[in-house]
Amino acid sequence: MSYSPLDIAATGQHPFTDYARWRLRVSEDGRHTWHYLNTDEECRAWPQTDLDKYWLGLPLNLPPLPEPEDALAAARNGYTFYKRLQAKDGHWPGEYGGPMFLLPGLVIGSYVTGMGFKMEEKLEMIRYLLNRTHPEDGGWGIHVEGHSTVFGTALNYCVMRILGVSADHPALVKARAVLHKLGGATGVPAWGKFWLSVLNVYDWEGNNPVTPELWLLPNALPFHPHRWWIHTRTVYIPMSYLFGIRYKMEENDLILSLRQELYPENYYHIDWPAQRNNVCKADLYAPHTRIFDFLYSLLGVYENCALPPARRAALDYCYKLIVQEDENTGYQTLGPVSKMMNLIVRAHVDGPESDAYKLHMEKRQDFMWVCTDGMMMCGTNGSQLWDIGFITQALVETGLAHEEENKESIVNALRWLDQCQIQQNPKYYESSFRHRTKGAWPFSTKTQGYTVSDCTGEGLKAVLYIQEHVESTPKLVSDQRIYDSVDLLLGMQNHDGGFASYELIRGPWWLEMLNPAEVFGKIMIEHSYPECTTSVITALSIFQKHYPQYRPADIRRVVERAVHFLHKSQMPEGGWFGSWGICFTYATQFALESLSLVGETYETSPYARKACNFLISKQRSDGGWGESYKSCELTAWVEHKQTQVVQTCWAVMALIYARYPDPEPIERAVRLVMSRQKPDGSWPQEAMEGVFNKNVTIAYPNFKFSFTIWMLGRAHRYLAELKASQTS
Ligand code: LAN
C-alpha cells in the first residue's frame, strides 16, 4: 500500500498532512527548513512555489514545451524546467535521502532528551516509514533499496512506536514478524546496539566497548583516533562518551513494552555479554577480523577495571571535542549521526536550559526534509554545493549559460558560489584535529564548514567557468581567494598520487582491519578515490589555463602523479571502481575526464581505449546503461533491472572525454535520454544515484537534471564535430 498526498487529497481525507501547506524556507547560506502553515491566511501570505511543489510531488501543471528537434534543444527544455527549481538565493535545493538509519537517530535522540516534534512532522515521519517498508516483507533495510535487516527494522520500529503508532498497527505487526524471523533485536549491528542502549531497550553489557580513553593515547600512535576517517572519529567521540557513562533513558511504559516487542525471547533472560559479536547474517557486510575480536576482548577486560580518574579525563576530553565540533559547525556537526549523538551529550551535560540544547534542537530542522513520501532525515544538511557545481558547469559547457534568458540565473548561481567559499580556518583548528578550510568549498553549506577535496575542485571550476566564460558576469571571487583554494588543493595529494575525501590519509592501511561497524566497508581511514582525484586535478588544470603564472611547476607535478594514480587504479576489466556514485559508470566518467586532460584518449592511450571498450560492452540494446548499487557492494559489475538515464549520461560523458570515434553508440544513448524526457522538459526520478561506505545508497535527485543537460549539450557538439571530421 502506498500513502501519497495526492490520494489523500483525492479522497478528501487528511490522515496525514495537507501538502498544500508545506513551504521550504531557504535562508542564510542555503539553509533548508520545511514549515507547515496552519491557516489559510498564512498560506496566502506565503504562496507555494514551483520549487516547493516539485519536491512535495505536487503537480506543476506546466504546458508542454516545443518538441526538441535535437539534443541541444532537449537540453534547453531541460533547463527551462530546472530553472524553476532554482531557489531565490541562486542554488538548487534537493532532498538527500536513502539511508534508513538516520531517522532513528533523530527520533530516538530527540525522545531521550525530551525534544518534541510538531504534530505535522510526526505524521509525515510516520507516513515516510510506512511508504518505505520493504514491498515484499514489510521490514526496513539499511537503505531504501535494500533488503530488510535487523538494523533497519528494529530501529525504525522503535521510531514508529515513539511517534505514537500502536503495536497493533498492521504495518508494525508485519515489521515485528520480520524482526523476529531475523532473530530479534539481539543481532542488531553495533550502531543499532548503541541506539537501543541509549533508549534503554538493550543492555550496555551487550555492546562491545567504545573506550573513550583511546583519545588520551599519544597522538603519534598510528591507530590514534584522530587518524581515522573523519566520519568514523566524529561519531566515535560522542558514542564513546555515552558508552563511557552508560547513558540510558529512564524506564517508562513504552520502554518496558518495547523490551517485549523487539525480542522473541524474554528480555530479562538474555545473556547480554554473549550478544556483543552477535550480528544477524542479513545485516553483516564487514565482519570483524580475528585480531579485532581479540583487541575487543582486551578492551572488555579494561572496562572492568577502568580507573575512574582516567575515565573522567577521557570523558572530559571527549566533551571538549564535542563542544568544539558543535561550535565549528553551527551545531550541525559533520553529519547526521554525530549530530544527534552530540545533541544527547550536550543535553545531558549542559541541560535543557542551555544555549547548546536550544541550538541543537533548532538545527535538527536542517536535516528534516519533506518529500513525496513523507518526512525523512537527510544524509547531510543538503548537497547544495555539489549540485550547483555540476549544473553551472553544464550550463557553461553547453552554451546555455550564454543565452539571454539564462543570464540572471547564472549570475545568481555565481553569487551563491561566492558566499559559499570558506575563507578562514575553523575556530578550533589544530585542537580538534581539523584539516585546514581556508579557500575550500564544502559539500553543503559554509556553516557546516568542512573541506571536501572534490567539492573544492568542483566549486572552483564552477566559479572559473562562470567568471571567465560568461560575459558580463561580475568577478565576485577574487584572485587571492582562488589562490587560497588552489593552495589548499595542492596540499591534499596523498603519497599514492590520489586524493581522498576530506583530509589526507592519516592512518595506516591495516586500521581497516579494526572496523567496528559491521555494516559499512572502508570507513576507518581515508583512501584515494578516482572521483575526488579527478575533480581536483581538472580544477587545477583549468585554473592554470587562466592563471598560468601561479605555481605552474607544482600543478604539473601534482597532475602527473594523479594521472599515474589513475592508471594504477584501473580495474582489469577497464573500468574504475566508484565509491560515491554507482559505480563503475560513475568513476569511469571521472577517470576518463582526468585522462583527457593529459591528452589520453581512445586513439592515444591504452587505458582510455580499454575503458571505452568496457563501457561499450555494457551498453544495452535500448542504447542506455543501467548498473545496480550491488556493484558497489560486490566490487563487480551488476546490471540494474532498468536502464538508468543518469548512468547513461555518465557513460556518454566518459566516451566524449575519451573522444570515442564511433558516433553510433552516442547517438543511441542520446535518443534514449531524449525519449525519457517529459513534455515539460523534466525527467522522472529513477533509481538511487549515489552510494557510501560500499553498502548504503543515497539519492542525488538533482543529477537527473545536471547530467542530462550536460551530456545532451556536449553530445550535440561532439557528434557535429565527428561528422565534420569524417566529411573533411
Ligand atoms: C558524502 C556525500 C558527498 C561525498 C562526495 C563529495 C560525493 C565524495 O566525493 C566525497 C565524500 C562525500 C563528502 C560524502 C562522505 C560520506 C557522507 C557524508 C556522504 C555520502 C553523505 C552521507 C555520508 C555520511 C557518512 C552519512 C552518515 C553515516 C555515517 C556512517 C557516519
Side-chain angles (χ1 to χ4, degrees):
M1 202 189 324
S2 131
Y3 299 82
S4 116
L6 294 178
D7 300 342
I8 294 162
T11 57
Q13 296 168 329
H14 293 278
F16 296 100
T17 69
D18 176 2
Y19 261 35
R21 293 182 178 276
W22 284 102
R23 304 287 184 275
L24 178 69
R25 175 175 291 145
V26 174
S27 50
E28 293 132 46
D29 58 346
R31 180 177 183 214
H32 303 154
T33 48
W34 282 95
H35 301 267
Y36 194 71
L37 307 183
N38 285 302
T39 65
D40 291 346
E41 210 182 335
E42 282 175 291
C43 288
R44 272 193 299 275
W46 184 359
Q48 209 166 30
T49 61
D50 282 351
L51 172 62
D52 300 323
K53 287 188 196 158
Y54 178 79
W55 291 107
L56 292 166
L58 300 176
L60 300 191
N61 298 325
L62 299 172
L65 295 170
E67 183 134 349
E69 277 161 19
D70 55 28
L72 183 61
R76 187 175 295 115
N77 280 357
Y79 193 59
T80 303
F81 182 91
Y82 193 43
K83 210 164 39 169
R84 294 175 182 278
L85 307 188
Q86 186 177 23
K88 285 221 170 58
D89 70 352
H91 88 286
W92 280 263
E95 84 185 44
Y96 198 38
M100 287 303 291
F101 58 93
L102 302 178
L103 202 57
L106 176 71
V107 174
I108 295 175
S110 300
Y111 183 58
V112 302
T113 53
M115 288 182 196
F117 290 107
K118 297 194 183 104
M119 182 48 88
E120 53 274 11
E121 293 169 343
K122 282 194 201 169
L123 288 172
E124 287 306 327
M125 287 191 253
I126 294 172
R127 197 168 70 85
Y128 181 73
L129 288 182
L130 288 173
N131 278 321
R132 286 282 175 265
T133 52
H134 194 280
E136 277 152 34
D137 59 19
W140 290 280
I142 190 171
H143 60 95
V144 295
E145 291 186 356
H147 60 271
S148 297
T149 59
V150 177
F151 194 30
T153 308
L155 291 180
N156 287 304
Y157 183 92
C158 293
V159 171
M160 290 289 259
R161 296 287 285 122
I162 293 171
L163 293 174
V165 181
S166 130
D168 305 327
H169 187 289
L172 291 197
V173 173
K174 250 177 134 181
R176 211 161 49 235
V178 174
L179 180 60
H180 289 196
K181 201 164 155 216
L182 291 170
T186 45
V188 73
W191 289 21
K193 289 178 166 58
F194 168 85
W195 282 117
L196 296 182
S197 303
V198 163
L199 187 60
N200 204 357
V201 298
Y202 202 98
D203 198 295
W204 277 111
E205 279 299 306
N207 287 252
N208 272 313
V210 196
T211 318
E213 282 84 339
L214 289 188
W215 277 99
L216 299 179
L217 296 172
N219 290 348
L221 284 175
F223 55 88
H224 188 280
H226 87 270
R227 299 179 188 278
W228 302 355
W229 185 47
I230 195 159
H231 277 281
T232 307
R233 72 171 188 261
T234 309
V235 166
Y236 186 83
I237 297 169
M239 201 183 231
S240 65
Y241 187 98
L242 296 168
F243 170 81
I245 62 166
R246 307 295 194 274
Y247 176 96
K248 58 183 179 210
M249 177 160 187
E250 263 175 45
E251 277 177 12
N252 62 23
D253 288 348
L254 176 63
I255 286 170
L256 295 179
S257 183
L258 279 172
R259 287 180 185 169
Q260 285 182 8
E261 295 163 34
L262 294 172
Y263 304 91
E265 67 271 59
N266 184 330
Y267 179 83
Y268 303 93
H269 295 167
I270 293 171
D271 174 1
W272 290 107
Q275 308 310 321
R276 292 183 187 175
N277 293 324
N278 172 17
V279 180
C280 173
K281 272 212 186 67
D283 289 66
L284 194 57
Y285 178 72
H288 295 174
T289 53
R290 289 244 206 103
I291 169 99
F292 192 42
D293 280 339
F294 172 68
L295 289 175
Y296 257 158
S297 60
L298 294 185
L299 289 174
V301 173
Y302 171 79
E303 259 324 295
N304 297 328
C305 56
L307 297 173
R311 173 68 29 116
R312 192 63 259 160
L315 293 176
D316 289 347
Y317 189 40
C318 288
Y319 176 73
K320 189 179 107 188
L321 292 172
I322 289 166
V323 173
Q324 293 188 346
E325 166 71 357
D326 286 347
E327 291 185 11
N328 274 340
T329 60
Y331 288 77
Q332 242 154 237
T333 94
L334 171 63
V337 178
S338 53
K339 158 72 190 170
M340 292 310 298
M341 294 184 184
N342 278 17
L343 176 148
I344 302 175
V345 175
R346 299 303 299 272
H348 176 73
V349 179
D350 299 45
E353 296 307 320
S354 63
D355 285 346
Y357 185 94
K358 287 173 199 142
L359 287 164
H360 258 303
M361 180 160 157
E362 188 192 321
K363 287 294 175 78
R364 291 178 309 171
Q365 222 66 37
D366 298 39
F367 295 90
M368 292 156 63
W369 181 275
V370 192
C371 72
T372 330
D373 291 330
M375 178 173 256
M376 67 170 90
M377 170 93 167
C378 290
T380 54
N381 60 323
S383 50
Q384 291 86 329
L385 180 282
W386 198 232
D387 287 322
I388 200 174
F390 292 125
I391 185 62
T392 46
Q393 292 176 64
L395 292 175
V396 174
E397 283 204 346
T398 54
L400 292 173
H402 307 294
E403 297 183 359
E404 200 44 48
E405 65 272 25
N406 297 333
K407 282 269 166 67
E408 194 186 328
S409 143
I410 201 92
V411 173
N412 281 344
L414 178 63
R415 282 191 213 292
W416 197 89
L417 285 159
D418 167 43
Q419 67 72 40
C420 184
Q421 190 187 19
I422 308 172
Q423 296 186 45
Q424 292 102 25
N425 286 325
K427 179 170 168 203
Y428 303 104
Y429 174 32
E430 277 101 353
S431 63
S432 57
F433 304 99
R434 289 283 301 268
H435 192 87
R436 61 179 285 191
T437 50
K438 187 170 185 211
W441 273 273
F443 175 69
S444 54
T445 59
K446 188 177 178 171
T447 305
Q448 189 261 6
Y450 271 89
T451 298
V452 184
S453 68
D454 50 0
C455 298
T456 305
E458 299 301 336
L460 176 59
K461 273 195 275 181
V463 166
L464 290 173
Y465 269 39
I466 303 176
Q467 290 195 165
E468 301 291 335
H469 294 286
V470 185
E471 255 178 47
S472 75
T473 46
K475 187 164 173 180
L476 300 178
V477 182
S478 68
D479 288 350
Q480 187 51 53
R481 282 171 55 195
I482 288 176
Y483 299 153
D484 288 344
S485 121
V486 168
D487 292 345
L488 177 87
L489 290 177
L490 286 172
M492 290 190 84
Q493 190 165 38
N494 288 315
H495 285 303
D496 61 7
F499 287 77
S501 57
Y502 295 79
E503 299 170 336
L504 289 162
I505 301 171
R506 295 182 179 183
W509 62 270
W510 49 260
L511 270 181
E512 288 298 351
M513 294 169 71
L514 312 181
N515 171 1
E518 293 139 3
V519 291
F520 306 122
K522 278 191 150 187
I523 60 159
M524 290 308 290
I525 54 166
E526 279 279 12
H527 295 269
S528 287
Y529 300 104
E531 305 99 300
C532 300
T533 306
T534 296
S535 296
V536 174
I537 62 168
T538 48
L540 290 174
S541 310
I542 289 163
F543 162 79
Q544 207 185 7
K545 282 200 194 110
H546 299 292
Y547 295 83
Q549 78 294 350
Y550 194 75
R551 301 184 67 178
D554 292 335
I555 295 179
R556 201 174 325 111
R557 206 184 51 245
V558 164
V559 172
E560 262 168 30
R561 287 179 55 216
V563 169
H564 181 64
F565 164 78
L566 287 160
H567 287 164
K568 271 191 325 197
S569 52
Q570 186 171 27
M571 304 287 280
E573 298 77 26
W576 278 264
F577 178 77
S579 298
W580 308 109
I582 296 169
C583 172
F584 293 97
T585 330
Y586 181 70
T588 304
Q589 172 207 225
F590 281 96
L592 288 183
E593 185 184 358
S594 278
L595 296 190
S596 74
L597 271 183
V598 287
E600 289 199 22
T601 60
Y602 184 85
E603 301 290 359
T604 63
S605 150
Y607 299 98
R609 176 175 292 235
K610 199 169 170 193
C612 290
N613 292 339
F614 168 74
L615 285 174
I616 292 291
S617 76
K618 302 293 182 196
Q619 189 173 26
R620 299 174 169 216
S621 55
D622 64 5
W625 277 259
E627 192 185 358
S628 158
Y629 71 84
K630 292 263 171 207
S631 294
C632 309
E633 272 177 31
L634 304 171
T635 322
W637 181 285
V638 181
E639 284 288 326
H640 198 285
K641 283 204 199 89
Q642 281 98 30
T643 303
Q644 301 294 318
V645 161
V646 171
Q647 289 172 352
T648 302
C649 294
W650 291 336
V652 174
M653 293 280 281
L655 295 174
I656 297 176
Y657 286 127
R659 305 200 61 77
Y660 189 68
D662 180 3
E664 200 259 351
I666 300 179
E667 282 163 353
R668 284 170 55 217
V670 165
R671 280 200 296 275
L672 185 271
V673 172
M674 285 174 68
S675 75
R676 298 245 176 126
Q677 189 173 26
K678 296 203 256 183
D680 63 8
S682 69
W683 281 269
Q685 181 61 36
E686 298 179 340
M688 289 281 160
E689 300 84 358
V691 73
F692 63 93
N693 303 350
K694 299 199 65 141
N695 196 26
V696 190
T697 65
I698 190 153
Y700 290 90
N702 278 306
F703 282 4
K704 65 180 174 292
F705 296 107
S706 45
F707 284 101
T708 44
I709 293 171
W710 203 348
M711 180 287 265
L712 289 170
R714 283 201 60 151
H716 181 78
R717 209 177 55 222
Y718 182 67
L719 290 170
E721 275 170 37
L722 274 187
K723 271 207 192 96
S725 70
Q726 275 162 5
T727 48
S728 65

